[in-house]
Amino acid sequence: GMQPVITLNHYDLPLGLVTKYGGWRSRELITQYERYCKTVFARYKEKVKIWMTFNEINCVLHAPFTAAGLLIEEGENKLQLQFQAAHHQLVASALAVKACHEIIPDAKIGCMIAAWPTYPDTCNPDDTLKAMAKDRQMLFFGDVQARGYYPSYAKRLFRENGFEIEMAAGDEAILKQYVVDYVA
């Protein structure tokens, strides 16, 4: 009675896509990933009913090369690049949800978050606020995938760090319409 749970991307971005496109910094990977997912879903639709889009999608903030194929060059805004790559992955994840439900209507597809709580160093309110901010960097990814929108605390983080996420027309609608079935 055991069911396989397949993760579609588990730190295995082909090096050719890193070399050609710069990893998830490029929107082109959304198209590549969607095509890959549709191929895998069609091939295994009779055998697999539980899927995950990305392994520990939030690790783009902790291991940018491993999680997103990012080679960060000197002078680049690292945080902006990481969140831009994350945006591309989040849109790709939503499109994978869409494709999965279309190809395998009885399947469930979710996301996986690397979760570890942050505790403040002291009871000082400044430490507590820093811990909350750190937790939000982790929670952001599940919030977008499960709720379908960028939370206000993320928008504030972008604003406070002097950048905006470049979005194509329709990105927000895709995120809203194709949320995950579960968070792991």
Side-chain angles (χ1 to χ4, degrees), residues 5-178:
V5 179
I6 304 299
T7 304
L8 292 157
N9 182 280
H10 197 118
Y11 300 151
D12 53 5
L13 181 65
L15 187 57
L17 295 177
V18 174
T19 304
K20 185 172 183 178
Y21 298 109
W24 282 97
R25 74 172 56 226
S26 172
R27 268 195 85 80
E28 177 60 31
L29 265 65
I30 296 171
T31 303
Q32 301 287 337
Y33 184 77
E34 183 180 22
R35 185 174 68 195
Y36 159 71
C37 290
K38 287 178 178 179
T39 301
V40 174
F41 295 147
R43 170 67 177 85
Y44 294 102
K45 66 183 176 184
E46 300 301 324
K47 295 181 178 182
V48 179
K49 303 298 181 187
I50 307 170
W51 300 87
M52 283 194 248
T53 58
F54 288 89
N55 173 64
E56 300 176 338
I57 191 169
N58 56 314
C59 282
V60 67
L61 300 179
H62 312 287
F65 181 77
T66 306
L70 296 179
L71 295 170
I72 300 167
E73 298 176 19
E74 189 174 328
E76 285 188 295
N77 182 329
K78 181 179 178 182
L79 194 61
Q80 179 176 1
L81 177 59
Q82 289 169 302
F83 275 103
Q84 186 65 56
H87 174 72
H88 294 153
Q89 288 181 324
L90 291 165
V91 172
S93 176
L95 291 171
V97 169
K98 176 182 186 284
C100 183
H101 288 161
E102 289 172 351
I103 296 168
I104 319 169
D106 59 336
K108 297 290 182 200
I109 183 164
C111 65
M112 183 191 303
I113 308 297
W116 53 88
T118 305
Y119 296 98
D121 288 333
T122 71
C123 60
N124 181 311
D126 289 338
D127 285 346
T128 301
L129 289 171
K130 286 177 189 176
M132 286 173 55
K134 195 70 171 164
D135 278 343
R136 286 179 174 160
Q137 284 187 2
M138 173 196 55
L139 297 171
F140 159 79
F141 293 85
D143 279 349
V144 175
Q145 290 182 295
R147 294 177 170 176
Y149 59 89
Y150 278 70
S152 59
Y153 64 80
K155 292 176 183 178
R156 188 176 77 230
L157 173 75
F158 304 156
R159 193 173 50 253
E160 288 173 354
N161 284 279
F163 64 85
E164 290 184 31
I165 299 300
E166 294 177 21
M167 294 189 194
D171 281 1
E172 289 177 304
I174 289 167
L175 293 172
K176 188 70 174 170
Q177 190 168 359
Y178 304 110

